[in-house]
Amino acid sequence: MAVRVQVGAERAGRDEDDMTSNKKMKALVRARMAKTGEGYQAAHRAIALPQPEQAAPVAPVATVAPARFELVYLQHHFTLGEKPFVVGRELACDLALDDGQASRRHASFSAAEGRARVEDLGAQNGVMVNGTRIVGGADLKRGDVVTIGRSELTIMSDGAPARSTIGIGWVLAGRYKLTSIVPLSPTRFGGEPLTHGHYELYVAQRPLLGGEVNVKLLPAANEREAPHRRLWLLQEGRTQERASHPQVLKVFDISETEGGEVFLVLEAPRGMTLGAYVEAREPDERAVFEIMRQLAEILDHVHGRGVIHRGLRLGAVHVEERRGKIQLALSSFSFATIVGEKSPALLSRTSIFGHPSWMSPEQCVGPDIDARSDLYSLGIILYAMLARWLPFLDEDRELLLERHKHAEIPPLRPAGSTPSPLDAICMKLLARSPDDRYPHAGALLDALGRG
């Protein structure tokens, strides 16, 4: 049976048209779930649409069957055939990527007579095979890595290593039973990642100790990718443990399955993300002051431990209300680094990594940043709570980075509106030059008023 899969979704915009588009997309997902009978796990990672059965070709007598080729993206495997398999950002593509650097119809793959091939469909950023940009098209062999935008796809053929079968119901290391996939929580603000990237994030039960945890699993990768991703996951665990604080989610364990998949065991967050909280509660000025005060206090501690978060955003902050009081927790240390230590993420002095809608101007240039970069990202969080939208939002990653580097911050309020004392704090946090921001989170905490 041929299978058609779509991964990811277009990034949400700030206006009503984009919100309507997101609702239509969610309705499409629900409809396909109903049609296929797939559960949430399948819908979250891939939506499989059965196609009409094809009559199996009769193999010639006394001949060897040609090699069967597969296209592998994250944990998804797609069998290639004569019919072009189209990859791009459009939902109509056979594989729809949540990748701002991919063109709407970026490339097509096919296989026939024991050969696999990729064709560039006029993509703006081109198609790379093993790091070299192709012209028109190229033949492929087992193990070739095709780069489309920021996404990597691997060609596999008969005799390739068996794929990972880890999923819901598995018990890892005899201690963590995977029960469900952690849902993403996109909001009308946009700017949040719509996939878990190269990793799988599960809710797991601890049969022996009881209680729920999150398990971040690195599926088996090809030989070229595996060492780098392992180092990155280890770095995430180390930095999050180094940042230890009552309001930073704990790291419980890092281990490896018998099949070689590395996983990180994390404290499961309570409540909802800050983005969902702002969308649902629309906090008043007093609540925003308290949220900012707690975040400044957490960052003051984290920075004091020598950790730069690099990934602050609404989705990295979790909010729980206890007896009418707000309690925050910080997570998502995927891009975090320790001052003075070389990170596996820092591949070169020009490496740019982070969540583009939340990155400081200096983070948009390269990896050499300090703790004041986190204060800029915190300023975007404050801006979103005050204005109810992000200062910059665009599907084009490069354009978004340019705006952070050169564009003026849009006004927080319409002309003639009554300003809030938080407005000036927000604008100081969003100063283009780090020297014009608060020198450290402690100074911000003093400006907010220590609790």
Side-chain angles (χ1 to χ4, degrees):
M1 176 181 293
V3 179
R4 186 181 186 184
V5 180
Q6 295 177 339
V7 180
E10 300 288 349
R11 291 191 181 279
R14 72 179 68 176
D15 55 26
E16 293 296 328
D17 289 339
D18 288 332
M19 292 171 66
T20 301
S21 175
N22 284 345
K23 291 178 181 177
K24 288 180 179 178
M25 185 188 71
K26 292 176 182 177
L28 175 64
V29 171
R30 289 194 294 270
R32 291 181 178 176
M33 287 175 65
K35 180 176 180 179
T36 62
E38 296 288 338
Y40 178 80
Q41 180 189 12
H44 180 64
R45 289 297 170 198
I47 305 165
L49 302 181
Q51 303 295 318
E53 294 286 350
Q54 301 291 329
V58 178
V61 178
T63 62
V64 178
R68 180 176 63 89
F69 287 93
E70 285 187 336
L71 183 65
V72 181
Y73 175 63
L74 303 181
Q75 82 278 25
H76 307 293
H77 291 238
F78 313 99
T79 300
L80 299 178
E82 293 184 8
K83 181 181 178 180
F85 183 93
V86 179
V87 179
R89 285 192 294 114
E90 279 189 351
L91 289 178
C93 291
D94 298 298
L95 174 59
L97 301 174
D98 173 37
D99 186 335
Q101 291 190 19
S103 296
R104 294 187 179 279
R105 290 171 60 83
H106 200 109
S108 68
F109 295 80
S110 60
E113 300 179 353
R115 298 171 57 195
R117 187 169 176 82
V118 61
E119 299 288 343
D120 187 337
L121 300 180
Q124 181 178 358
N125 295 326
V127 176
M128 310 282 283
V129 176
N130 300 326
T132 301
R133 184 166 181 166
I134 66 172
V135 177
D139 290 334
L140 300 170
K141 62 183 183 300
R142 174 184 171 185
D144 282 346
V145 177
V146 181
T147 303
I148 293 177
R150 290 178 287 114
S151 305
E152 290 188 344
L153 302 92
T154 305
I155 298 297
M156 305 294 276
S157 64
D158 293 340
R163 70 191 69 171
S164 169
T165 56
I166 287 181
I168 304 302
W170 275 66
V171 178
L172 304 184
R175 300 190 297 277
Y176 311 107
K177 183 177 181 180
L178 307 182
T179 58
S180 63
I181 289 178
V182 174
L184 293 161
S185 55
T187 67
R188 65 177 176 82
F189 293 101
E192 295 286 347
L194 297 180
T195 72
H196 290 302
H198 294 297
Y199 307 94
E200 300 289 341
L201 191 60
Y202 291 93
V203 176
Q205 294 283 344
R206 294 186 291 185
L208 299 179
L209 295 177
E212 285 187 343
V213 293
N214 282 352
V215 171
K216 192 169 189 178
L217 175 71
L218 172 60
N222 63 46
E223 293 181 1
R224 189 177 72 86
E225 297 171 331
H228 176 67
R229 294 186 187 174
R230 285 166 179 260
L231 286 173
W232 197 303
L233 192 63
L234 178 61
Q235 174 79 359
E236 178 178 352
R238 290 185 64 248
T239 54
Q240 194 158 338
E241 175 66 21
R242 175 81 169 255
S244 178
H245 182 273
Q247 288 175 269
V248 171
L249 296 185
K250 295 180 177 63
V251 177
F252 293 131
D253 194 7
I254 186 165
S255 189
E256 188 174 5
T257 69
E258 292 182 358
E261 294 91 348
V262 178
F263 64 92
L264 191 64
V265 182
L266 305 167
E267 178 184 359
R270 298 183 179 88
M272 64 183 80
T273 65
L274 181 55
Y277 178 83
V278 173
E279 192 172 60
R281 302 284 198 275
E282 296 188 351
D284 58 19
E285 187 175 287
R286 181 178 178 182
V288 173
F289 255 110
E290 177 58 19
I291 290 169
M292 287 298 296
R293 188 194 65 77
Q294 289 191 37
L295 287 175
E297 189 175 65
I298 296 170
L299 281 184
D300 191 36
H301 171 85
V302 169
H303 292 162
R305 299 282 294 169
V307 174
I308 303 175
H309 191 281
R310 293 177 177 261
L312 281 177
R313 63 188 197 283
L314 290 171
V317 181
H318 307 273
V319 185
E320 183 183 19
E321 291 183 297
R322 300 177 183 174
R323 299 178 182 177
K325 294 185 178 181
I326 295 172
Q327 182 74 12
L328 302 186
L330 182 61
S331 68
S332 301
F333 282 71
S334 300
F335 297 121
T337 53
I338 298 173
V339 176
E341 292 190 11
K342 185 177 180 180
S343 166
L346 304 182
L347 302 180
S348 72
R349 298 193 55 88
T350 58
S351 295
I352 298 173
F353 58 96
H355 301 290
S357 294
W358 312 83
M359 289 164 60
S360 68
E362 61 269 28
Q363 191 176 359
C364 295
V365 174
D368 294 332
I369 63 174
D370 60 29
R372 292 172 295 180
S373 178
D374 281 348
L375 296 185
Y376 181 94
S377 302
L378 185 54
I380 297 179
I381 291 177
L382 177 55
Y383 187 103
M385 290 193 288
L386 295 174
R388 300 295 194 263
W389 62 73
L390 299 182
F392 304 120
L393 191 64
D394 199 288
E395 280 188 1
D396 189 318
R397 179 176 182 268
E398 296 306 316
L399 179 57
L400 193 51
L401 298 183
E402 287 301 310
R403 287 181 176 175
H404 280 298
K405 288 188 286 185
H406 304 298
E408 295 297 325
I409 302 295
L412 270 168
R413 306 175 190 276
S417 300
T418 303
S420 160
L422 287 167
D423 292 4
I425 292 176
C426 183
M427 290 299 104
K428 187 172 180 65
L429 287 169
L430 292 175
R432 185 173 294 125
S433 170
D435 293 336
D436 294 330
R437 300 172 206 151
Y438 294 98
H440 47 75
L444 170 60
L445 192 56
D446 289 336
L448 292 164
R450 295 178 182 265

